[in-house]
Amino acid sequence: MENGRETITLAGGCFWCLQPVFQELRGVERVEVGYSGGKVRDPSYEMVCTDTTGHAEAVQITFDRTIISLAEILRIFFTVHDPTTLNRQGADFGTQYRSAVFYSNDEQKQAARQVLSELEAAKIWHGPFVTELAPLSAFYRAEEYHQDYFRKNPTAGYCRAVVAPKVAKFRKQYAAKLKAPVTAPKGT
């Protein structure tokens, strides 16, 4: 943590779905997609897709704690994916699609436990949470073509069928927490 900045690494299914959600939150400064939780150094997407490296597709979120708290990010995370399905999100299945919080320190671990307990007690999901809580050992940034995939490929089939509806639902549910939309200057 530096100057109120903090970084958390989260996995909740396809990273193409998670990145655009967190990029739109006020206080979030950077979101990169990559791989965490595995046993192979610097894996490629193709390696991770074999479901043999142990990595999860993840997002690494850098945010300003004076604008948005870790607890808020975690609450949003647990509502934009299904933390009750083991190694699966929708039609995507395999350990690379598991739900996980990769924490960097005890404060993050405690915050994740607290939010998990709070949401389990609220019964917002029908089943028990299966989210893995694990220390962050490494985050390997995914290949460049995966970064900002939804923004670069909005008409791709997966983006239209899966990512766009998830982002639209998120925008509606969390409208008050979104960054102000960028508008073109008058006269252009």
Side-chain angles (χ1 to χ4, degrees):
M1 289 181 269
E2 194 173 300
N3 297 326
R5 292 344 183 238
E6 185 170 353
T7 301
I8 186 76
T9 304
L10 306 172
C14 176
F15 49 29
W16 295 346
C17 292
L18 290 178
Q19 186 177 35
V21 165
F22 288 102
Q23 285 175 321
E24 294 190 7
L25 286 172
R26 254 190 336 270
V28 170
E29 297 177 351
R30 187 177 73 236
V31 183
E32 292 185 302
V33 300
Y35 317 108
S36 284
K39 58 187 181 284
V40 175
R41 280 186 58 122
D42 202 22
S44 68
Y45 180 70
E46 290 74 20
M47 291 169 69
V48 171
C49 286
T50 66
D51 201 16
T52 60
T53 68
H55 291 89
E57 289 190 14
V59 291
Q60 194 161 69
I61 304 162
T62 302
F63 60 100
D64 183 338
R65 294 175 309 149
T66 66
I67 299 171
I68 188 167
S69 70
L70 176 59
E72 288 175 288
I73 286 177
L74 291 168
R75 284 184 196 102
I76 291 166
F77 169 66
F78 286 119
T79 61
V80 297
H81 83 289
D82 184 347
T84 67
T85 56
L86 186 62
N87 301 328
R88 164 177 235 117
Q89 289 297 308
D92 295 330
F93 64 92
T95 57
Q96 71 268 33
Y97 299 113
R98 70 188 181 271
S99 176
V101 174
F102 297 104
Y103 55 84
S104 297
N105 55 48
D106 285 338
E107 182 183 325
Q108 289 184 347
K109 180 181 180 180
Q110 290 307 105
R113 282 188 174 158
Q114 177 64 38
V115 171
L116 274 169
S117 294
E118 166 191 308
L119 295 177
E120 282 184 320
K123 301 206 181 298
I124 65 165
W125 292 99
H126 295 293
F129 283 49
V130 295
T131 303
E132 170 188 356
L133 293 181
L136 177 66
S137 57
F139 175 80
Y140 299 103
R141 190 175 188 276
E143 297 82 354
E144 192 56 40
Y145 72 94
H146 289 296
Q147 306 300 325
D148 297 310
Y149 190 85
F150 179 60
R151 183 182 54 78
K152 294 174 188 172
N153 303 282
T155 60
Y158 188 88
C159 290
R160 284 189 326 218
V162 179
V163 185
K166 183 175 267 205
V167 170
K169 181 180 175 185
F170 160 78
R171 287 174 179 160
K172 185 176 179 182
Q173 187 173 1
Y174 293 101
K177 295 189 179 297
L178 300 180
K179 294 174 182 171
V182 178
T183 57
K186 292 184 181 197
T188 57

